Amino acid sequence: MIYLDYSATTMTSREVLDSFVQSSTKYIGNPNSLHKLGVEANNLIAKATSQIANILGVKENEIIYTSGASESNNLALKGIAYKYQNRGKHIITTNFEHSSIYGPLTFLSELGFDVDFVESDDNGIVDLENLKNLIREDTILVSVGAINSEIGIKQPIDEIAKVIKECNNKTFFHVDITQAVGKIKLDLKNVDLASFSAHKFFGIKGIGALIKKENINIEPLIHGGKSTTIYRSGTPTLPLIVSTAKALRLAYEDIDIKYNHVLELNKYLKNELSKIDNIHINSNDLCIPHILNLSVVGIKPETFLHALEEYDVYISTQTACSKSGSHSKSVYALTHDEKIASSSIRISISYITTKDEIDKFIEIFKECKTKLTLA
């Protein structure tokens, strides 16, 4: 098997799974219970939370555990909107966001909130001048993904944060860091809220977090019952929290070496695929190397995906959460070409991907391309 769909999800590493099993069997108490077993469980959560906070450069009380990035994004957007609607109902985002951003924004629009989309340049980078012009006195939130999940575009988060605070220091800045955590180094000092999910960096599915700076209030989506925070009720998921701390620590070990390995594979893959007729590379030099988006013009992406699948090779068309059958909104926003956007596929690489896998993939890719072209 050749797996090149790491941006959709990763397999759980053995070490992370071991942490999950050990914490599940050795710490059986409810972390909210007052007896000895509960206190022990709660102390373990505190230790894991401290590790996560140290790695991400935030405070322990700024971490809200959720079921994943989709819930975190919903909590950030709706939580700010509900809590601060007395200040205004204007929100700004981009044309390169995940569906878990567009979904709640559509919902909020139906409640009377006004959503604007900031323009981007030819590389998909936020146009800072346009952002300045869009920010108003009633703008309560700007939401921008650190890394686009389909193309890999990396946004200048610090520059965007600076513009926001200069234009309206009461406007909050939310960043979806799901595709960035564990792949690149992050600095969240200028970010008010940040979302991520553990299964993107070899953690377990079903847990994520929203980083919310301590001076900010949000309205919870889930009410009732004590938890690790007042902003998200429910019994604390100790094994998932502990395993996430382990996954995060492992992800950031030798991160520069891991990044350079992925970069070399990306350069090689891009160079080889660029030699093939009717291939349009959509990812540019400002994208992280973990994602390579391209269009096989003239062939439906689903057809190409299933052709590769016959060889036990796995990639994706759009993000796994995207509506099937539609063209890629992100690729269209970048290229303004519906034909290219309707034929895009995403290859996503990890630090565990090998050169041999890439060589074999290129061979199979060419074979499938030839067969489908002649069909």
Side-chain angles (χ1 to χ4, degrees):
M1 180 183 74
I2 300 176
Y3 185 75
L4 296 174
D5 198 18
Y6 289 98
S7 289
T9 193
T10 58
M11 63 286 290
T12 303
S13 75
R14 172 56 59 182
E15 291 172 279
V16 171
L17 191 57
D18 287 344
S19 292
F20 179 88
V21 172
Q22 290 179 24
S23 57
S24 295
T25 55
K26 293 183 179 180
Y27 294 85
I28 62 173
N30 187 319
N32 290 331
S33 297
L34 298 179
H35 53 60
K36 177 183 176 182
L37 296 181
V39 172
E40 290 176 346
N42 191 52
N43 288 341
L44 186 60
I45 286 181
K47 182 178 178 180
T49 301
S50 178
Q51 291 176 352
I52 294 171
N54 287 335
I55 293 171
L56 296 179
V58 299
K59 298 179 180 179
E60 290 94 332
N61 65 352
E62 295 177 337
I63 298 174
I64 305 169
Y65 294 110
T66 67
S67 62
S70 290
E71 183 188 334
S72 296
N73 285 336
N74 272 264
L75 179 56
L77 272 59
K78 294 175 183 175
I80 289 292
Y82 295 157
K83 181 62 70 173
Y84 294 97
Q85 58 185 311
N86 62 312
R87 292 186 185 177
K89 292 189 173 184
H90 184 229
I91 301 171
I92 299 172
T93 190
T94 81
N95 288 300
F96 294 95
E97 303 306 312
H98 189 265
S99 57
S100 61
I101 294 293
Y102 295 139
L105 287 181
T106 298
F107 171 80
L108 290 171
S109 295
E110 294 170 352
L111 296 181
F113 286 84
D114 183 16
V115 179
D116 272 326
F117 293 81
V118 64
E119 295 175 1
S120 58
D121 64 18
D122 292 340
N123 289 314
I125 303 299
V126 167
D127 185 324
L128 298 179
E129 284 302 316
N130 182 242
L131 179 60
K132 289 179 183 179
N133 293 332
L134 287 178
I135 295 175
R136 312 184 315 218
E137 185 178 344
D138 64 338
T139 304
I140 56 173
L141 180 67
V142 175
S143 180
V144 178
I147 306 291
N148 170 262
S149 60
E150 287 189 47
I151 308 170
I153 300 167
K154 180 182 177 183
Q155 296 292 349
I157 296 304
D158 284 342
E159 294 178 37
I160 294 172
K162 183 179 179 181
V163 168
I164 293 170
K165 296 309 175 186
E166 286 179 350
C167 294
N168 185 344
N169 61 10
K170 291 185 177 180
T171 298
F172 297 111
F173 185 28
H174 167 251
V175 180
D176 184 346
I177 59 174
T178 305
Q179 293 293 343
V181 176
K183 298 174 184 175
I184 62 174
K185 295 176 180 177
L186 293 166
D187 186 347
L188 301 178
K189 68 176 181 296
N190 296 319
V191 173
D192 296 310
L193 306 105
S195 311
F196 70 89
S197 191
H199 74 96
K200 302 293 187 179
F201 49 90
F202 301 92
I204 297 175
K205 298 174 183 65
I207 181 160
L210 174 66
I211 308 298
K212 180 199 67 64
K213 295 301 175 66
E214 61 182 351
N215 62 325
I216 299 170
N217 287 317
I218 56 174
E219 186 66 33
L221 297 182
I222 302 174
H223 298 84
K226 184 181 178 182
S227 188
T228 60
T229 169
I230 62 172
Y231 299 105
R232 207 275 192 178
S233 297
T235 302
T237 54
L238 182 148
L240 289 174
I241 293 170
V242 171
S243 64
T244 297
K246 183 60 157 297
L248 196 62
R249 182 175 63 79
L250 293 174
Y252 278 93
E253 284 183 355
D254 300 318
I255 190 170
D256 291 331
I257 295 173
K258 293 172 180 175
Y259 182 91
N260 288 332
H261 171 70
V262 173
L263 179 61
E264 290 305 311
L265 292 181
N266 178 285
K267 288 179 179 178
Y268 175 69
L269 179 60
K270 185 186 296 185
N271 182 63
E272 293 301 312
L273 295 183
S274 297
K275 299 174 183 178
I276 304 173
D277 290 339
N278 295 322
I279 297 295
H280 185 278
I281 304 294
N282 299 317
S283 298
N284 53 51
D285 293 338
L286 298 180
C287 298
I288 62 168
H290 303 74
I291 297 175
L292 179 60
N293 189 290
L294 57 90
S295 294
V296 188
V297 182
I299 300 176
K300 291 182 178 180
E302 294 83 3
T303 302
F304 207 97
L305 180 150
H306 291 306
L308 291 171
E309 187 179 18
E310 292 181 8
Y311 291 86
D312 211 17
V313 175
Y314 301 92
I315 61 167
S316 65
T317 52
Q318 302 175 44
T319 62
C321 298
S322 296
K323 181 180 178 181
S324 61
S326 61
H327 68 254
S328 167
K329 294 181 180 179
S330 293
V331 175
Y332 183 76
L334 180 67
T335 65
H336 308 291
D337 188 315
E338 191 166 342
K339 184 179 292 185
I340 290 175
S342 298
S343 57
S344 66
I345 59 176
R346 179 186 67 182
I347 302 161
S348 45
I349 307 168
S350 162
Y351 69 89
I352 67 172
T353 305
T354 66
K355 173 67 160 46
D356 287 341
E357 286 179 315
I358 295 298
D359 281 330
K360 186 62 177 177
F361 170 74
I362 293 169
E363 178 186 329
I364 295 171
F365 185 97
K366 290 178 179 178
E367 187 172 339
C368 290
K369 169 71 164 51
T370 299
K371 285 182 180 180
L372 294 173
T373 301
L374 296 176

